């Protein structure tokens, strides 16, 4: 049965993202409807403005009495919407509410300076393309055209929802990273506490096993059996020691990847099913990397054990090393003939909580990635895999001849 805590968390995150997107979309739709309503109101105002202009021009031409003051008051009332009135030939008859580059002539404000005329002509060309125009029929032979732009208020309102959306996105991102950092810190505390408690619980049985091994040796038990028992007891003692000092900064020192791989394979060879053939091929005898050997041995043992679990008691596991001198890297590959993985799971297997086993917490490969990437500045990834054929996991480590560092117990913090 597939157990993947991360999938559940990821679904929750996607639900939150979808909910946030729905809220933003609703907000934009509502703001856009307000903009459309305001735009329609401005259009109606321009219709009234155009009608007042038409009636004023018609009445003045016919000589009929007209409420000129009323018509002018309608025209003068527009103080926010940029408008431009032209005749049949495109000559500018009137303009209002444009920020002209040069001040108007106070002695004769109806005159347009060459600089302002050039500015208004350019704006008129843009207005003709916008479609914001009202055809004013003065008489059968005469027409005027009223062009207008959106008011400053309408322009500000139209971009306001997008500005607010950006602010919301920035706020959500800040909260997300804050929560993620806090959660990661809490996870680290849990791991530290769990590790220290594990080391404490291991102490007593390890001491007891050491005493029993000595008693068995004294009673004449086969020395080869005692030697193998002591290997496992020493391994448990080393693991308990690592867990007891969790949180300390890992120390790295130059070591041979070939030697480390051979040592790990040799240890695991006698502790896996006899139906599994575990082989090792190293090819970098001179290469060295800055390593925390106990941690790297744990990674190798974890990868080999996962490969064993992926096979039903029989198959082949091959561990190889290779060097890349131009890139200055040493590669370690663990290849098995197990169940394999679909491509969509290549990254998923390294996430916390992912496991295909009936039992387990799904933290082994997560810790392995942390050891490789954060402590050794390398990479670990699924190089290739195919269901029913097998999997190859590749580790890349930077080769180094750096000065030996202070050694410390190595364990993920």
């Amino acid at each position: 049965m597939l157990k993947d805590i991360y999938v559940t968390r990821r679904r929750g995150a996607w639900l939150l993202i979808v909910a946030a997107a729905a809220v933003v979309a609703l907000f934009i739709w509502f703001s856009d409807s307000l903009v459309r309503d305001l735009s329609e109101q401005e259009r109606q105002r321009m219709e009234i403005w155009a009608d007042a202009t038409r009636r004023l021009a018609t009445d003045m031409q016919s000589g009929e009495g007209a409420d000129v003051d009323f018509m002018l008051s309608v025209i003068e009332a527009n103080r926010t919407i940029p408008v431009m009135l032209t005749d049949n030939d495109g000559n500018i008859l009137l303009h209002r509410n444009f920020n002209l580059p040069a001040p108007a002539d106070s002695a004769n404000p109806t005159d347009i300076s060459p600089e302002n005329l050039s500015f208004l002509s350019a704006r008129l060309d843009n207005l003709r393309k916008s479609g914001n125009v009202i055809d004013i029929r003065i008489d059968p032979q005469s027409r005027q055209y009223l062009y207008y732009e959106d008011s400053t208020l309408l322009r500000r309102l139209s971009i306001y929802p997008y500005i607010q959306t950006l602010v919301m996105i920035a706020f959500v991102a800040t909260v997300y990273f804050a929560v993620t950092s806090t959660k990661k810190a809490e996870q680290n505390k849990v791991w530290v506490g769990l590790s220290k408690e594990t080391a404490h619980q291991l102490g007593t049985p390890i001491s007891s096993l050491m005493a029993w091994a000595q008693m068995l040796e004294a009673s004449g038990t086969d020395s080869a059996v005692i030697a193998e028992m002591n290997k496992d007891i020493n391994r448990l003692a080393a693991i308990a020691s690592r867990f007891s000092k969790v949180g300390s900064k890992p120390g790295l020192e130059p070591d041979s990847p070939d030697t480390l791989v051979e040592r790990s394979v040799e240890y695991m060879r006698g502790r896996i099913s006899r139906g599994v053939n575990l082989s090792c091929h190293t090819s970098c005898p001179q290469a060295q990397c800055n390593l925390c050997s106990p941690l790297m041995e744990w990674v190798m043992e974890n990868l080999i054990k996962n490969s064993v679990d992926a096979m039903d008691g029989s198959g082949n596991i091959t561990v190889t090393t290779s060097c890349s001198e131009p890139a200055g890297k040493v590669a370690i590959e663990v290849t098995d003939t197990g169940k394999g993985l679909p491509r969509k799971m290549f990254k998923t297997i390294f996430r916390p909580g992912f496991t295909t086993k009936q039992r387990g917490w799904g933290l082994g490969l997560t810790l392995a990635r942390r050891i490789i990437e954060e402590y050794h500045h390398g990479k670990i990834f699924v190089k290739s895999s195919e269901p029913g054929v097998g999997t190859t996991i590749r580790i890349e480590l930077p080769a180094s001849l750096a000065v030996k560092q202070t050694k410390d117990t190595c364990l993920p913090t």
Side-chain angles (χ1 to χ4, degrees):
M1 179 180 177
L2 180 64
K3 297 179 181 178
D4 192 356
I5 299 172
Y6 183 84
V7 169
T8 303
R9 290 167 50 192
R10 184 175 59 182
R11 288 175 180 171
W14 275 110
L15 287 176
L16 289 176
I17 292 174
V18 170
V23 171
V24 171
L26 180 63
F27 179 78
I28 292 177
W29 173 83
F30 180 73
S31 299
D32 189 59
S33 65
L34 290 179
V35 170
R36 289 196 302 269
D37 291 343
L38 183 58
S39 178
E40 183 62 27
Q41 290 179 14
E42 290 191 351
R43 176 76 183 191
Q44 293 174 1
R45 289 175 61 187
M46 289 297 96
E47 293 281 359
I48 296 173
W49 203 91
D51 187 58
T53 301
R54 179 186 58 78
R55 291 177 59 185
L56 182 62
T58 301
D59 292 347
M60 291 181 65
Q61 287 182 1
S62 64
E64 296 180 0
D67 192 347
V68 177
D69 292 337
F70 174 73
M71 301 299 177
L72 290 176
S73 67
V74 173
I75 296 174
E76 292 292 332
N78 173 33
R79 299 181 182 276
T80 58
I81 304 174
V83 295
M84 196 177 303
L85 187 66
T86 68
D87 58 17
N88 286 333
D89 299 325
N91 299 313
I92 299 174
L93 304 176
L94 178 68
H95 63 86
R96 290 186 64 82
N97 304 322
F98 287 98
N99 293 322
L100 300 177
D105 186 358
S106 58
N108 192 358
T110 59
D111 289 346
I112 303 177
S113 66
E115 186 177 1
N116 289 341
L117 181 60
S118 176
F119 170 81
L120 292 172
S121 298
R123 296 293 286 270
L124 179 59
D125 291 338
N126 292 332
L127 287 171
R128 285 170 175 161
K129 298 175 184 178
S130 68
N132 290 341
V133 58
I134 299 175
D135 186 355
I136 305 174
R137 185 182 295 272
I138 305 300
D139 54 48
Q141 289 77 32
S142 177
R143 287 187 177 183
Q144 293 181 355
Y145 298 93
L146 177 67
Y147 298 93
Y148 67 94
E149 293 182 351
D150 293 335
S151 65
T152 302
L153 176 61
L154 183 59
R155 289 198 300 270
R156 290 177 178 175
L157 185 60
S158 64
I159 65 173
Y160 177 72
Y162 301 99
I163 294 176
Q164 217 172 25
T165 300
L166 292 176
V167 173
M168 290 177 63
I169 292 174
F171 175 75
V172 170
T174 302
V175 172
Y176 173 79
F177 285 117
V179 171
T180 301
S181 299
T182 303
K183 192 170 185 178
K184 186 176 181 180
E186 291 176 352
Q187 288 176 344
N188 288 338
K189 290 181 180 179
V190 171
W191 287 356
V192 168
L194 180 62
S195 299
K196 291 185 180 297
E197 180 62 21
T198 301
H200 177 71
Q201 295 295 333
L202 284 173
T204 300
I206 289 174
S207 299
S208 179
L209 286 171
M210 288 180 176
W212 280 110
Q214 291 175 0
M215 290 182 63
L216 290 173
E217 185 177 8
S219 64
T221 303
D222 188 351
S223 59
V225 174
I226 298 299
E228 288 300 318
M229 287 184 62
N230 284 330
K231 285 182 181 180
D232 286 333
I233 292 171
N234 292 334
R235 174 68 59 170
L236 285 173
I239 292 173
S241 177
R242 299 177 204 166
F243 279 109
S244 67
K245 296 183 179 181
V246 65
S248 60
K249 184 178 180 180
L252 308 178
E253 60 181 11
D255 198 356
S256 168
D258 279 11
T259 302
L260 184 143
V261 167
E262 291 168 356
R263 189 163 59 242
S264 299
V265 169
E266 183 63 27
Y267 174 78
M268 292 297 296
R269 184 174 282 125
R271 289 161 179 81
I272 60 177
S273 171
R274 293 185 178 180
V276 176
N277 177 37
L278 177 59
S279 60
C280 177
H281 304 283
T282 56
S283 58
C284 306
Q286 303 300 322
Q288 284 198 336
C289 300
N290 283 338
L291 303 175
C292 178
S293 296
L295 273 184
M296 285 300 303
E297 288 175 4
W298 183 89
V299 170
M300 294 305 304
E301 292 167 13
N302 184 270
L303 294 180
I304 293 172
K305 188 175 183 301
N306 282 347
S307 293
V308 173
D309 292 339
M311 295 182 287
D312 296 327
S314 64
N316 298 311
I317 300 175
T318 305
V319 183
T320 61
T321 64
S322 59
C323 302
S324 176
E325 293 184 3
K329 294 180 180 179
V330 175
I332 303 172
E333 293 185 358
V334 179
T335 302
D336 63 57
T337 57
K339 299 176 182 177
L341 298 167
R343 179 168 293 275
K344 65 180 181 180
M345 294 174 60
F346 280 16
K347 294 183 179 180
T348 307
I349 63 172
F350 294 102
R351 292 170 177 166
F354 178 88
T355 177
T356 57
K357 305 172 187 176
Q358 292 292 334
R359 303 177 62 183
W361 288 7
L363 295 177
L365 288 177
T366 302
L367 290 173
R369 182 177 65 176
R370 188 172 184 179
I371 291 169
I372 297 299
E373 295 183 356
E374 294 189 19
Y375 295 160
H376 292 85
H377 310 291
K379 295 180 181 180
I380 180 171
F381 55 92
V382 179
K383 179 182 178 182
S384 63
S385 186
E386 185 177 345
V389 176
T391 302
T392 297
I393 292 184
R394 180 180 176 92
I395 297 173
E396 293 181 354
L397 298 170
S400 175
L401 295 175
V403 179
K404 182 177 180 180
Q405 301 181 15
T406 302
K407 187 175 182 180
D408 195 1
T409 299
C410 311
L411 198 73
T413 57

